[in-house]
Amino acid sequence: MPPQNEPAERHTLSLLVDNEPGVLARIVGLFSGRGYNIDSLTVSEVSHESHLSRITIVTTGAPMIIDQIKSQLDRLVPVHRVIDLTVTGKTLERELALIKVRGSGENRREALLIADSFRARTVDTTLESFVFEITGKPDKIDQFVSLLAPLGLVEVSRTGVAAIGRGPEGM
Amino acid sequence: MPPQNEPAERHTLSLLVDNEPGVLARIVGLFSGRGYNIDSLTVSEVSHESHLSRITIVTTGAPMIIDQIKSQLDRLVPVHRVIDLTVTGKTLERELALIKVRGSGENRREALLIADSFRARTVDTTLESFVFEITGKPDKIDQFVSLLAPLGLVEVSRTGVAAIGRGPEGM
């Protein structure tokens, strides 16, 4: 049982792993088998070194749990590196969302105004609907979605977080 | 063994699943256990219905294999819906990438010009480096990355694909 006095924290972990069958299954299995939370997960090839994939996992837990997760991930052979981007603190985190709203009249105009103020791009338009593309930190996207909710929100598709360190150095 | 005469196709599958521990592990396990390929995977909460998550998987395989994958996913209890967005054909697919380049002089100017022509945003700048944020279809991002490769590419972090149907209807 985690100590009651440690509040849960949200951490973004970046993993460089071998691009092989079964690696993602092992990592996801490690989380689910121990009851660790996954808020979002993204995996894709590191295009210029195609034998490697990068997995970015956003997880929430008490500091002791986060430390456990990191050390267990580090012990997996196909995992080359585990970086806790929340700890390094010099991280850019970005997520993309596609958001469909349907409405007419005042609701439609209001949705466009909100999209404009969030610098969202309109990527599909019909006489009664829009699809907006927005990028930003997850909080910003949450806020955008909650503002659109009363205006005819149809659906939301989000990518989860991609992250990279600030400054000239590689991770 | 897949028939040799069926060329592999790239399909984007959208899954609406219960937001419960272990669901992602079962889905990823289904792919790895049967040797199905995962090109990219994104999972995140459907924010306005928090008991559901959306998983978007890009996979490559012969048509027969893709059909097998879909019917096996459909049989999993926590999977509410499986939609093959490649078949519906009216789909917007977007990925986000953060790309760091390091260089000076002509290479630095050239990187900025390329970023500009791809409508990438500069989200971090130092005297010797940039981080660009770009969104688009995976092909576009591949092309952007390959143009930057000789100009001092340091690293790439990609989200994988989020997808949504065109038009006013929900999926």
Side-chain angles (χ1 to χ4, degrees):
Chain A
M1 242 183 357
Q4 296 297 314
N5 55 346
E6 288 192 309
E9 297 172 355
R10 191 175 156 281
H11 282 242
T12 302
L13 307 179
S14 174
L15 281 60
L16 208 61
V17 305
D18 286 326
N19 184 6
E20 288 172 4
V23 174
L24 181 61
R26 284 181 67 184
I27 289 165
V28 171
L30 186 150
F31 276 79
S32 73
R34 297 169 201 249
Y36 300 150
N37 194 50
I38 294 180
D39 295 339
S40 83
L41 181 146
T42 65
V43 56
S44 61
E45 287 185 4
V46 176
S47 6
H48 59 301
E49 306 164 89
S50 62
H51 60 297
L52 292 174
S53 291
R54 186 186 304 282
I55 300 177
T56 307
I57 299 177
V58 180
T59 184
T60 309
M64 201 184 68
I65 300 292
I66 303 282
D67 286 344
Q68 276 177 19
I69 293 173
K70 288 190 281 187
S71 75
Q72 281 160 7
L73 288 171
D74 235 350
R75 253 176 269 150
L76 297 179
V77 171
V79 175
H80 293 249
R81 253 185 305 171
V82 180
I83 301 164
D84 186 342
L85 294 166
T86 308
V87 167
T88 67
K90 291 175 62 186
T91 305
L92 291 159
E93 292 185 28
R94 287 290 188 283
E95 182 174 12
L96 180 146
L98 296 168
I99 296 153
K100 185 180 291 185
V101 291
R102 182 176 187 167
S104 57
E106 191 52 46
N107 277 359
R108 184 171 163 87
R109 281 188 292 276
E110 185 61 28
L112 258 192
L113 281 177
I114 292 170
D116 206 42
S117 74
F118 276 77
R119 301 192 188 185
R121 300 174 186 178
T122 306
V123 290
D124 184 62
T125 309
T126 70
L127 288 172
E128 49 175 335
S129 67
F130 293 114
V131 176
F132 299 121
E133 174 194 311
I134 184 170
T135 67
K137 289 192 155 201
D139 300 356
K140 176 185 164 189
I141 295 175
D142 289 346
Q143 202 195 340
F144 184 57
V145 170
S146 67
L147 285 170
L148 293 176
L151 303 174
L153 188 65
V154 177
E155 64 187 339
V156 180
S157 182
R158 300 172 68 147
T159 58
V161 168
I164 206 166
R166 288 182 184 276
E169 307 301 333
M171 287 202 275
Chain B
M1 240 184 357
Q4 297 297 315
N5 54 345
E6 287 193 309
E9 296 173 355
R10 192 175 155 280
H11 283 242
T12 303
L13 307 179
S14 174
L15 281 60
L16 209 61
V17 304
D18 286 326
N19 184 5
E20 288 172 3
V23 174
L24 181 62
R26 283 182 66 185
I27 290 166
V28 171
L30 187 150
F31 276 79
S32 72
R34 295 169 201 249
Y36 299 151
N37 194 48
I38 295 181
D39 294 339
S40 84
L41 180 147
T42 65
V43 55
S44 60
E45 286 184 7
V46 176
S47 6
H48 59 303
E49 306 162 272
S50 62
H51 60 295
L52 293 175
S53 291
R54 187 186 303 282
I55 300 178
T56 307
I57 299 178
V58 180
T59 185
T60 309
M64 201 185 68
I65 300 291
I66 302 282
D67 286 344
Q68 275 177 18
I69 293 174
K70 287 190 281 187
S71 77
Q72 281 160 6
L73 288 171
D74 235 349
R75 253 176 267 150
L76 297 178
V77 172
V79 175
H80 294 249
R81 253 185 304 171
V82 180
I83 301 164
D84 185 343
L85 294 167
T86 307
V87 167
T88 68
K90 291 177 63 185
T91 306
L92 290 159
E93 293 186 27
R94 288 288 189 285
E95 182 174 11
L96 180 147
L98 296 169
I99 296 153
K100 184 180 293 187
V101 291
R102 182 176 188 166
S104 58
E106 192 53 44
N107 277 0
R108 184 169 163 87
R109 281 188 292 276
E110 184 62 28
L112 257 192
L113 281 176
I114 291 169
D116 206 42
S117 72
F118 276 76
R119 298 190 191 190
R121 300 173 185 178
T122 306
V123 291
D124 185 63
T125 308
T126 70
L127 287 173
E128 48 174 336
S129 67
F130 294 113
V131 176
F132 300 121
E133 174 193 312
I134 183 170
T135 68
K137 290 193 153 200
D139 300 358
K140 176 185 163 186
I141 295 176
D142 288 346
Q143 202 195 342
F144 185 57
V145 170
S146 67
L147 285 170
L148 292 176
L151 303 174
L153 187 65
V154 176
E155 63 187 338
V156 179
S157 181
R158 300 172 69 146
T159 58
V161 169
I164 205 165
R166 288 183 185 275
E169 308 300 333
M171 285 200 277

